[in-house]
């Protein structure tokens, strides 16, 4: 293993700083906005190698520093207090996992140490997703969205299986190197970890090349450059102009063959006074073109909702979906929704609606899968620079739930992906180039994945592993 020999030489000179420096660099470029997914598999390796040979205090410090510096790629994206709090908590959890790994290895349990390390970090991500207003947004699993064979496991385990593997590989390599003279340890470690990876890859390849049985549908996405002021405007003429512009976009996409058209989140802010004429414009566009139309609107009723309105091909207004997971501070005035919206695509298949941040959470996405949705339509907003960060999460939700996903972001990306996570179409919403649109045919999934039926079983198993290791 020449790479491991080179790493060991670096560690011998300034071990703590070298281990923390290499790991932090790999984390920095494999997460956040850089997303070099291959590096994620290697990022914990230097710290794991160092932990097996260093005093406990130094090992914990190296792990903490590595995670803190590696997270600096998001310092301009999150407010400083939020960034400091979440990063410090995650770094402490990572250091704790490294210490558990070290303790297990040095107490003679080398073959199970990598599984404890992987389980502890997966447990942390899972608990954080249950408690945090960001949901699963920060999970390392999303770095692997372009690694198609690996992400197929999400249909069985959710993202937790991917996170588990990302921690299992580097910690197993560390055990193999540091205990390379102990043949029984190396053989059992390689057998357990290697067999698991082989099974995951085999399953991934088989699922990738097993075609989905759902029907193919042609979808059009469109977004028009705008400003925050125009989105929030309640001026009747401004709203009318915006909706007529989108109506023209619907005409163009329908003329090109689109049967389902998705517009972005909050494309206008309607009030009880402007609601009837506004919805009439969208209804007329759906009826004229004989298409199913989904449009996101800021919707003042008895309460203020962030809504996705659904129009049938005859122009009828179907039940609206209200966003369930609201963005803290920015959407504090809005009332969260509680219900799903499913509608017929064909006699045997259905689609569902969600909005932007809803896809950062396990629900309602998993419930749509349980009810057999073959595709989710997701109006979204985003903030320019985080377009891919949010788009890739929606792609992963589709793999988890075995359904296709169409997502239109006002200031992000327009994406269509299938139930295997293959990105069928992608284009950027760019204010410098005018209107952005995307037209693609995608095969619907079947929904009702193993993961949606069984839930977070692997995450709970990791919690049990972690508690047992601590005891």
């Amino acid at each position: 293993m020449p790479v491991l020999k080179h790493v060991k030489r670096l560690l011998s000179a300034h071990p703590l700083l070298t281990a923390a420096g290499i790991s932090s660099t790999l984390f920095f470029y494999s997460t956040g906005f850089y997303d070099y997914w291959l590096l994620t598999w290697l990022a914990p390796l230097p710290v794991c190698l160092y932990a097996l040979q260093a005093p406990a205090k130094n090992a914990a410090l190296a792990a903490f520093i590595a995670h803190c510096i590696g997270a600096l790629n998001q310092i301009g994206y999150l407010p400083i207090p939020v960034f400091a709090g979440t990063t410090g908590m995650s770094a402490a959890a990572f250091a704790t996992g490294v210490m558990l790994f070290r303790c297990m290895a040095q107490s003679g349990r080398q073959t199970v140490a990598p599984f404890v390390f992987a389980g502890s970090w997966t447990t942390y991500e899972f608990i954080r997703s249950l408690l945090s207003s960001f949901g699963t947004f920060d999970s390392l699993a999303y770095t692997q969205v372009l690694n198609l064979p690996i992400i197929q496991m999400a249909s069985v385990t959710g993202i937790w299986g991917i996170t588990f593997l990302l921690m299992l590989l580097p910690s197993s390599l560390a055990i193999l190197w540091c205990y390379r003279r102990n043949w029984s340890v190396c053989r059992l470690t390689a057998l357990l970890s290697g067999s698991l990876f082989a099974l995951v890859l085999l399953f991934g390849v088989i699922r990738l090349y097993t075609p989905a049985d759902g029907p193919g549908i042609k979808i059009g996405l469109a977004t028009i450059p705008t400003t925050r002021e125009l989105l929030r405007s309640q001026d009747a003429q401004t709203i009318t102009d915006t909706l007529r512009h989108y109506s023209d976009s619907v005409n163009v996409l329908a003329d090109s063959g689109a049967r389902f058209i998705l517009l972005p989140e909050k494309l206008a802010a309607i009030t009880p006074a402007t609601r009837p004429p506004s919805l009439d414009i969208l209804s007329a566009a759906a009826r004229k073109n004989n298409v199913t139309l989904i449009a996101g609107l800021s919707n003042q009723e008895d309460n203020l909702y962030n809504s996705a309105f659904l129009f049938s091909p005859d122009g009828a207004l179907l039940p609206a979906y209200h966003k369930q997971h609201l963005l803290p501070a920015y959407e504090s005035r809005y009332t969260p929704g509680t219900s799903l919206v499913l509608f017929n695509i064909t006699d045997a298949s259905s689609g569902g609606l969600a909005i932007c941040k809803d896809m950062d959470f396990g629900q309602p996405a998993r419930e749509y899968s349980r009810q057999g949705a073959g595709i989710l339509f997701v109006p979204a907003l985003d903030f320019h620079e985080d377009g891919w960060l949010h788009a890739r999460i929606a792609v992963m939700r589709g793999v988890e739930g075995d359904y296709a996903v169409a997502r239109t972001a006002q200031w992000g990306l327009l994406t269509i992906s299938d139930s295997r996570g293959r990105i069928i179409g992608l284009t950027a919403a760019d204010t410098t180039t005018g209107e952005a649109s995307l037209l693609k045919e995608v095969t619907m999934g079947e929904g009702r994945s193993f993961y949606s039926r069984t839930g977070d079983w692997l995450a709970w198993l990791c919690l049990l592993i972690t508690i047992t290791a601590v005891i």
Side-chain angles (χ1 to χ4, degrees):
M1 297 184 181
V3 174
L4 291 179
K5 289 181 180 178
H6 184 60
V7 170
K8 188 178 181 182
R9 281 198 297 269
L10 288 173
L11 291 176
S12 63
H14 303 284
L16 193 156
L17 294 179
T18 302
I22 296 175
S23 279
S24 64
T25 301
L26 294 172
F27 274 125
F28 187 91
Y29 286 104
S30 66
T31 60
F33 300 104
Y34 293 97
D35 214 20
Y36 296 119
W37 63 264
L38 185 60
L39 300 182
T40 316
W41 295 93
L42 301 175
L45 177 57
V47 166
C48 287
L49 283 170
Y50 177 65
L52 293 175
Q53 305 168 65
K57 182 171 59 177
N58 292 5
L61 182 60
F64 188 87
I65 292 173
H67 201 282
C68 285
I69 297 177
L72 289 177
N73 54 20
Q74 295 190 47
I75 195 169
Y77 175 64
L78 296 173
I80 293 298
V82 176
F83 170 79
T86 58
T87 300
M89 185 169 59
S90 296
F94 183 65
T96 301
V98 169
M99 294 306 295
L100 269 176
F101 169 69
R102 177 184 181 278
C103 180
M104 296 297 290
Q106 294 193 350
S107 62
R109 300 176 178 86
Q110 295 90 349
T111 55
V112 300
F115 291 87
V116 170
F117 178 61
S120 66
W121 181 256
T122 305
T123 296
Y124 169 71
E125 282 199 356
F126 173 57
I127 293 174
R128 183 181 62 188
S129 75
L130 298 178
L131 302 177
S132 171
S133 59
F134 293 98
T136 66
F137 178 81
D138 285 330
S139 174
L140 290 178
Y142 297 122
T143 65
Q144 303 302 301
V145 162
L146 300 180
N147 188 356
L148 291 177
I150 289 293
I151 68 171
Q152 302 311 309
M153 187 170 56
S155 65
V156 177
T157 65
I159 60 172
W160 316 119
I162 301 169
T163 297
F164 187 88
L165 285 182
L166 284 168
M167 296 293 105
L168 181 65
L169 177 63
S171 54
S172 295
L173 290 176
I175 291 291
L176 289 173
W177 176 255
C178 291
Y179 294 89
R180 59 191 180 279
R181 293 185 177 87
N182 188 329
W183 171 243
S184 61
V185 168
C186 290
R187 180 178 57 186
L188 189 53
T189 300
L191 178 63
L192 292 175
S193 299
S195 298
L196 181 58
F197 272 93
L199 285 173
V200 169
L201 286 172
L202 179 62
F203 171 77
V205 170
I206 291 174
R207 188 171 190 271
L208 270 176
Y209 289 97
T210 301
D213 292 333
I217 58 173
K218 204 161 190 178
I219 303 172
L221 314 180
T223 185
I224 296 168
T226 188
T227 63
R228 283 188 174 87
E229 289 71 25
L230 287 176
L231 291 181
R232 294 169 180 165
S233 174
Q234 296 185 355
D235 175 68
Q237 188 58 51
T238 300
I239 295 171
T240 298
D241 291 345
T242 297
L243 295 179
R244 290 198 182 283
H245 198 166
Y246 272 107
S247 180
D248 293 339
S249 300
V250 172
N251 296 338
V252 172
L253 288 169
D255 288 343
S256 300
R259 306 293 4 122
F260 297 83
I261 296 176
L262 175 65
L263 306 180
E265 176 187 10
K266 293 180 182 175
L267 58 88
I270 60 174
T271 64
T274 57
R275 177 186 169 96
S278 299
L279 298 186
D280 284 346
I281 294 173
L282 296 172
S283 173
R287 182 171 60 252
K288 173 185 174 182
N289 295 287
N290 192 35
V291 298
T292 299
L293 176 63
I294 301 103
L297 296 168
S298 183
N299 172 34
Q300 179 70 61
E301 298 178 1
D302 294 335
N303 295 305
L304 180 62
Y305 295 101
N306 184 344
S307 304
F309 284 88
L310 175 65
F311 300 88
S312 68
D314 62 3
L317 177 61
L318 302 177
Y321 172 83
H322 302 314
K323 187 176 182 181
Q324 297 185 18
H325 295 282
L326 302 171
L327 186 62
Y330 293 96
E331 294 183 312
S332 58
R333 298 179 298 117
Y334 289 83
T335 300
T338 57
S339 302
L340 306 183
V341 170
L342 283 155
F343 61 98
N344 290 336
I345 302 290
T346 67
D347 291 339
S349 59
S350 61
L353 301 181
I355 298 177
C356 199
K357 190 175 174 61
D358 287 332
M359 301 300 278
D360 293 356
F361 295 79
Q363 297 289 9
R366 194 164 72 226
E367 188 58 36
Y368 275 120
S369 175
R370 282 197 191 115
Q371 298 196 26
I375 184 170
L376 250 58
F377 293 90
V378 186
L381 191 68
D382 296 343
F383 297 110
H384 300 293
E385 68 272 12
D386 65 351
W388 173 240
L389 295 185
H390 273 112
R392 67 182 188 174
I393 294 175
V395 172
M396 189 73 84
R397 290 285 94 81
V399 180
E400 283 183 341
D402 192 25
Y403 47 65
V405 178
R407 186 177 187 273
T408 302
Q410 182 74 249
W411 297 319
L413 299 177
L414 287 66
T415 56
I416 299 174
S417 59
D418 69 6
S419 59
R420 272 50 174 173
R422 288 178 288 237
I423 297 176
I424 308 301
L426 181 151
T427 190
D430 191 339
T431 55
T432 63
T433 59
E435 177 182 344
S437 62
L438 181 64
L439 178 66
K440 291 290 179 180
E441 181 170 340
V442 65
T443 301
M444 294 173 57
E446 300 175 15
R448 300 188 179 93
S449 67
F450 182 87
Y451 170 66
S452 69
R453 293 195 301 267
T454 58
D456 297 315
W457 63 271
L458 181 63
W460 291 110
L461 178 59
C462 287
L463 177 60
L464 178 61
I465 291 172
T466 304
I467 293 173
T468 303
V470 170
I471 292 173

